[in-house]
Amino acid sequence: MQTAGIGDKMSNHENGITTGEFVSVILRHFREVEGFSRDAAGENCGAEEHSGNAAGENYGAENHGGNTAGNFPGEDIWRRGMEKGWLEERERLEAEKPIERRTAAKIVHEFLRRECGEADEADWGAAGRLKDLYYCRTCVNHVAQVYAKGIMTGLSEDVFGMREGLQAEEAVEIAERLTDKKRRRLSLDAGNDGALSRSLSLEQALALAGKDSGAILVDVRSREAYAKEHLDGAVNIPFSVILEDPDAVAADRAAPLLLYCDGGYQSEIAANRLAEAGYLQAYSFATEKEQC
């Protein structure tokens, strides 16, 4: 895989590369990679599916009003990225500003899900060591996933560096790890060592709820999802609310708290947040096989 020189083409910013440059690194990398295909085992994200307009045939400044950096992807890329969901309008508006690591994590995570079809990791416990994991409630999922997958590492052993800039060299490394799982930093001690709460099966959770009258069943999904259907006796406290204010769940920190969502991923993160806040019995479980 030939990536030499990509970082050299990017402009020099005191606080790191820009959002537009980061997107360019990812897309240019996919275009230059040879021999990668999405095989039956899902080892790699296929480069051939990202050629032409799909991968961004026009990377040049001519598609961005004459931007002189020459690294800015064309407007067709931003349009596709927003349609597919791995780019947002705010990122387009801030394309020429230095990118923060939390934004890079979001782009990478969504790119993996929506362009590569790579499923989220059910076991993201390694990310539990990051002291700033809950700094941004909308970034938790993205950071936890790219960290657990070994695509992005922290600035130190226990700090991700949410609002820190991203340097060109790291951007190239991220693009390589995103493409090839064999290059990922799997030495992150994948496992539940960092988890603070306990995961239960649906049957175990319902049994505990029926056995302990003080148990609180919490649906962490959106209010819209809760309104459509929910488990009997469950109260709705959305995921984002718990991350921002864990004290809103219950006054009694010894009460059994049974948090659920469709696939158990958000409920596990929310339960860990509660355990971190001092709740002694925070549990999570899934009501469906697919992740929420």
Side-chain angles (χ1 to χ4, degrees), residues 27 42 106 173-174 196 224 246:
L27 294 177
K106 178 264 176 187
E173 292 176 351
I174 290 170
L196 299 169
E224 292 75 17

Side-chain angles (χ1 to χ4, degrees), residues 7 10 17 25 166-177:
M10 290 182 285
I17 66 171
V25 170
L166 190 70
Q167 303 304 314
E169 182 179 353
E170 185 179 6
V172 173
E173 292 176 351
I174 290 170
E176 292 175 346
R177 294 171 191 159

